[in-house]
PDB file of all heavy atoms in Angstrom:
ATOM      1  N   SER A 119       8.380   4.693   7.288  1.00  0.00           N
ATOM      2  CA  SER A 119       7.552   4.402   6.082  1.00  0.00           C
ATOM      3  C   SER A 119       7.487   2.913   5.873  1.00  0.00           C
ATOM      4  O   SER A 119       8.312   2.146   6.401  1.00  0.00           O
ATOM      5  CB  SER A 119       8.127   5.074   4.864  1.00  0.00           C
ATOM      6  OG  SER A 119       9.260   4.377   4.389  1.00  0.00           O
ATOM      7  N   GLY A 120       6.491   2.479   5.115  1.00  0.00           N
ATOM      8  CA  GLY A 120       6.395   1.110   4.753  1.00  0.00           C
ATOM      9  C   GLY A 120       7.565   0.675   3.866  1.00  0.00           C
ATOM     10  O   GLY A 120       8.067  -0.443   3.989  1.00  0.00           O
ATOM     11  N   PHE A 121       8.003   1.586   3.043  1.00  0.00           N
ATOM     12  CA  PHE A 121       9.174   1.234   2.191  1.00  0.00           C
ATOM     13  C   PHE A 121      10.369   0.893   3.057  1.00  0.00           C
ATOM     14  O   PHE A 121      11.038  -0.109   2.870  1.00  0.00           O
ATOM     15  CB  PHE A 121       9.463   2.453   1.256  1.00  0.00           C
ATOM     16  CG  PHE A 121      10.188   2.084   0.010  1.00  0.00           C
ATOM     17  CD1 PHE A 121       9.587   2.028  -1.224  1.00  0.00           C
ATOM     18  CD2 PHE A 121      11.535   1.723   0.075  1.00  0.00           C
ATOM     19  CE1 PHE A 121      10.261   1.652  -2.372  1.00  0.00           C
ATOM     20  CE2 PHE A 121      12.259   1.341  -1.072  1.00  0.00           C
ATOM     21  CZ  PHE A 121      11.604   1.334  -2.306  1.00  0.00           C
ATOM     22  N   ALA A 122      10.601   1.767   4.083  1.00  0.00           N
ATOM     23  CA  ALA A 122      11.736   1.529   4.950  1.00  0.00           C
ATOM     24  C   ALA A 122      11.578   0.217   5.741  1.00  0.00           C
ATOM     25  O   ALA A 122      12.496  -0.538   5.914  1.00  0.00           O
ATOM     26  CB  ALA A 122      11.871   2.722   5.895  1.00  0.00           C
ATOM     27  N   ASN A 124       9.938  -2.532   4.955  1.00  0.00           N
ATOM     28  CA  ASN A 124      10.147  -3.737   4.102  1.00  0.00           C
ATOM     29  C   ASN A 124      11.641  -3.913   3.818  1.00  0.00           C
ATOM     30  O   ASN A 124      12.158  -5.035   3.876  1.00  0.00           O
ATOM     31  CB  ASN A 124       9.355  -3.592   2.847  1.00  0.00           C
ATOM     32  CG  ASN A 124       7.900  -3.889   3.031  1.00  0.00           C
ATOM     33  OD1 ASN A 124       7.481  -4.521   4.012  1.00  0.00           O
ATOM     34  ND2 ASN A 124       7.031  -3.348   2.180  1.00  0.00           N
ATOM     35  N   HIS A 145       4.877  -5.432  -4.061  1.00  0.00           N
ATOM     36  CA  HIS A 145       5.211  -3.993  -4.118  1.00  0.00           C
ATOM     37  C   HIS A 145       6.692  -3.730  -4.385  1.00  0.00           C
ATOM     38  O   HIS A 145       7.530  -4.555  -3.978  1.00  0.00           O
ATOM     39  CB  HIS A 145       4.819  -3.315  -2.799  1.00  0.00           C
ATOM     40  CG  HIS A 145       4.885  -1.836  -2.793  1.00  0.00           C
ATOM     41  ND1 HIS A 145       5.940  -1.173  -2.235  1.00  0.00           N
ATOM     42  CD2 HIS A 145       4.013  -0.886  -3.254  1.00  0.00           C
ATOM     43  CE1 HIS A 145       5.694   0.152  -2.332  1.00  0.00           C
ATOM     44  NE2 HIS A 145       4.545   0.368  -2.980  1.00  0.00           N
ATOM     45  N   SER A 147       8.803  -1.917  -2.975  1.00  0.00           N
ATOM     46  CA  SER A 147       9.675  -1.897  -1.799  1.00  0.00           C
ATOM     47  C   SER A 147      10.118  -3.290  -1.424  1.00  0.00           C
ATOM     48  O   SER A 147      11.237  -3.481  -0.901  1.00  0.00           O
ATOM     49  CB  SER A 147       8.935  -1.249  -0.623  1.00  0.00           C
ATOM     50  OG  SER A 147       7.712  -1.902  -0.349  1.00  0.00           O
ATOM     51  N   GLU A 188       1.796  -9.705  -0.330  1.00  0.00           N
ATOM     52  CA  GLU A 188       0.911  -8.642   0.145  1.00  0.00           C
ATOM     53  C   GLU A 188      -0.370  -9.305   0.565  1.00  0.00           C
ATOM     54  O   GLU A 188      -0.724 -10.370   0.079  1.00  0.00           O
ATOM     55  CB  GLU A 188       0.641  -7.644  -0.997  1.00  0.00           C
ATOM     56  CG  GLU A 188       1.881  -6.824  -1.320  1.00  0.00           C
ATOM     57  CD  GLU A 188       1.629  -5.722  -2.439  1.00  0.00           C
ATOM     58  OE1 GLU A 188       0.513  -5.189  -2.473  1.00  0.00           O
ATOM     59  OE2 GLU A 188       2.513  -5.503  -3.195  1.00  0.00           O
ATOM     60  N   VAL A 190      -3.452  -7.574   0.404  1.00  0.00           N
ATOM     61  CA  VAL A 190      -4.249  -7.077  -0.708  1.00  0.00           C
ATOM     62  C   VAL A 190      -3.259  -6.460  -1.685  1.00  0.00           C
ATOM     63  O   VAL A 190      -2.435  -5.613  -1.276  1.00  0.00           O
ATOM     64  CB  VAL A 190      -5.228  -5.999  -0.236  1.00  0.00           C
ATOM     65  CG1 VAL A 190      -5.901  -5.300  -1.395  1.00  0.00           C
ATOM     66  CG2 VAL A 190      -6.234  -6.625   0.752  1.00  0.00           C
ATOM     67  N   SER A 192      -1.649  -4.096  -4.327  1.00  0.00           N
ATOM     68  CA  SER A 192      -1.883  -2.641  -4.420  1.00  0.00           C
ATOM     69  C   SER A 192      -2.422  -2.237  -5.771  1.00  0.00           C
ATOM     70  O   SER A 192      -3.142  -1.240  -5.859  1.00  0.00           O
ATOM     71  CB  SER A 192      -0.587  -1.905  -4.078  1.00  0.00           C
ATOM     72  OG  SER A 192       0.462  -2.328  -4.888  1.00  0.00           O
ATOM     73  N   ASP A 217       2.680  -8.121   3.922  1.00  0.00           N
ATOM     74  CA  ASP A 217       2.624  -6.684   3.883  1.00  0.00           C
ATOM     75  C   ASP A 217       1.145  -6.359   3.618  1.00  0.00           C
ATOM     76  O   ASP A 217       0.646  -6.595   2.528  1.00  0.00           O
ATOM     77  CB  ASP A 217       3.513  -6.189   2.736  1.00  0.00           C
ATOM     78  CG  ASP A 217       3.378  -4.682   2.481  1.00  0.00           C
ATOM     79  OD1 ASP A 217       2.440  -4.046   3.044  1.00  0.00           O
ATOM     80  OD2 ASP A 217       4.188  -4.146   1.682  1.00  0.00           O
ATOM     81  N   ALA A 219      -0.519  -3.465   3.625  1.00  0.00           N
ATOM     82  CA  ALA A 219      -0.688  -2.012   3.445  1.00  0.00           C
ATOM     83  C   ALA A 219      -2.136  -1.635   3.062  1.00  0.00           C
ATOM     84  O   ALA A 219      -2.684  -0.654   3.532  1.00  0.00           O
ATOM     85  CB  ALA A 219       0.247  -1.476   2.358  1.00  0.00           C
ATOM     86  N   HIS A 220      -2.755  -2.456   2.244  1.00  0.00           N
ATOM     87  CA  HIS A 220      -4.111  -2.108   1.708  1.00  0.00           C
ATOM     88  C   HIS A 220      -5.237  -2.917   2.357  1.00  0.00           C
ATOM     89  O   HIS A 220      -6.393  -2.700   2.012  1.00  0.00           O
ATOM     90  CB  HIS A 220      -4.148  -2.312   0.190  1.00  0.00           C
ATOM     91  CG  HIS A 220      -3.130  -1.465  -0.524  1.00  0.00           C
ATOM     92  ND1 HIS A 220      -3.324  -0.182  -0.811  1.00  0.00           N
ATOM     93  CD2 HIS A 220      -1.846  -1.772  -0.907  1.00  0.00           C
ATOM     94  CE1 HIS A 220      -2.243   0.322  -1.394  1.00  0.00           C
ATOM     95  NE2 HIS A 220      -1.318  -0.644  -1.476  1.00  0.00           N
ATOM     96  N   THR A 246       1.057  -0.408   7.132  1.00  0.00           N
ATOM     97  CA  THR A 246       1.527   0.970   6.787  1.00  0.00           C
ATOM     98  C   THR A 246       0.397   1.970   7.119  1.00  0.00           C
ATOM     99  O   THR A 246      -0.761   1.662   7.022  1.00  0.00           O
ATOM    100  CB  THR A 246       1.903   1.102   5.279  1.00  0.00           C
ATOM    101  OG1 THR A 246       0.756   1.025   4.506  1.00  0.00           O
ATOM    102  CG2 THR A 246       2.878  -0.001   4.871  1.00  0.00           C
ATOM    103  N   PHE A 247       0.847   3.146   7.524  1.00  0.00           N
ATOM    104  CA  PHE A 247      -0.157   4.146   7.989  1.00  0.00           C
ATOM    105  C   PHE A 247      -0.510   5.209   6.968  1.00  0.00           C
ATOM    106  O   PHE A 247      -1.175   6.175   7.231  1.00  0.00           O
ATOM    107  CB  PHE A 247       0.416   4.855   9.256  1.00  0.00           C
ATOM    108  CG  PHE A 247       0.758   3.888  10.350  1.00  0.00           C
ATOM    109  CD1 PHE A 247       1.950   4.033  11.035  1.00  0.00           C
ATOM    110  CD2 PHE A 247      -0.084   2.839  10.664  1.00  0.00           C
ATOM    111  CE1 PHE A 247       2.292   3.111  12.090  1.00  0.00           C
ATOM    112  CE2 PHE A 247       0.236   1.931  11.686  1.00  0.00           C
ATOM    113  CZ  PHE A 247       1.452   2.084  12.393  1.00  0.00           C
ATOM    114  N   GLY A 248       0.017   5.033   5.738  1.00  0.00           N
ATOM    115  CA  GLY A 248      -0.254   6.008   4.678  1.00  0.00           C
ATOM    116  C   GLY A 248      -1.523   5.682   3.883  1.00  0.00           C
ATOM    117  O   GLY A 248      -1.937   6.495   3.051  1.00  0.00           O
ATOM    118  N   LYS A 249      -2.144   4.561   4.159  1.00  0.00           N
ATOM    119  CA  LYS A 249      -3.333   4.211   3.362  1.00  0.00           C
ATOM    120  C   LYS A 249      -4.593   4.439   4.253  1.00  0.00           C
ATOM    121  O   LYS A 249      -4.961   5.532   4.510  1.00  0.00           O
ATOM    122  CB  LYS A 249      -3.184   2.758   2.855  1.00  0.00           C
ATOM    123  CG  LYS A 249      -1.793   2.478   2.296  1.00  0.00           C
ATOM    124  CD  LYS A 249      -1.568   2.941   0.889  1.00  0.00           C
ATOM    125  CE  LYS A 249      -0.137   3.113   0.428  1.00  0.00           C
ATOM    126  NZ  LYS A 249       0.733   1.969   0.354  1.00  0.00           N
ATOM    127  N   GLY A 255       3.858   6.446   7.803  1.00  0.00           N
ATOM    128  CA  GLY A 255       4.620   5.633   8.777  1.00  0.00           C
ATOM    129  C   GLY A 255       4.212   4.195   8.632  1.00  0.00           C
ATOM    130  O   GLY A 255       3.362   3.866   7.767  1.00  0.00           O
ATOM    131  N   ALA A 256       4.820   3.320   9.437  1.00  0.00           N
ATOM    132  CA  ALA A 256       4.535   1.884   9.309  1.00  0.00           C
ATOM    133  C   ALA A 256       4.938   1.206  10.625  1.00  0.00           C
ATOM    134  O   ALA A 256       5.647   1.751  11.427  1.00  0.00           O
ATOM    135  CB  ALA A 256       5.326   1.262   8.174  1.00  0.00           C
TER     136      ALA A 256
HETATM  137  C1  PLP B 529       2.279   1.916  -0.124  1.00  0.00           C
HETATM  138  C2  PLP B 529       2.893   0.603   0.063  1.00  0.00           C
HETATM  139  C3  PLP B 529       4.123   0.447   0.731  1.00  0.00           C
HETATM  140  C4  PLP B 529       4.976   1.625   1.082  1.00  0.00           C
HETATM  141  O1  PLP B 529       4.461   2.213   2.218  1.00  0.00           O
HETATM  142  P1  PLP B 529       4.852   3.766   2.516  1.00  0.00           P
HETATM  143  O2  PLP B 529       4.525   3.926   3.933  1.00  0.00           O
HETATM  144  O3  PLP B 529       4.028   4.577   1.576  1.00  0.00           O
HETATM  145  O4  PLP B 529       6.312   3.864   2.218  1.00  0.00           O
HETATM  146  C5  PLP B 529       4.590  -0.829   1.002  1.00  0.00           C
HETATM  147  N1  PLP B 529       3.903  -1.889   0.543  1.00  0.00           N
HETATM  148  C6  PLP B 529       2.756  -1.791  -0.109  1.00  0.00           C
HETATM  149  C7  PLP B 529       2.032  -3.015  -0.533  1.00  0.00           C
HETATM  150  C8  PLP B 529       2.241  -0.539  -0.399  1.00  0.00           C
HETATM  151  O5  PLP B 529       1.100  -0.461  -1.064  1.00  0.00           O
END
Side-chain angles (χ1 to χ4, degrees):
S119 76
F121 203 106
N124 284 337
H145 189 260
S147 56
E188 292 183 33
V190 170
S192 54
D217 173 350
H220 302 277
T246 70
F247 305 135
K249 316 280 160 61

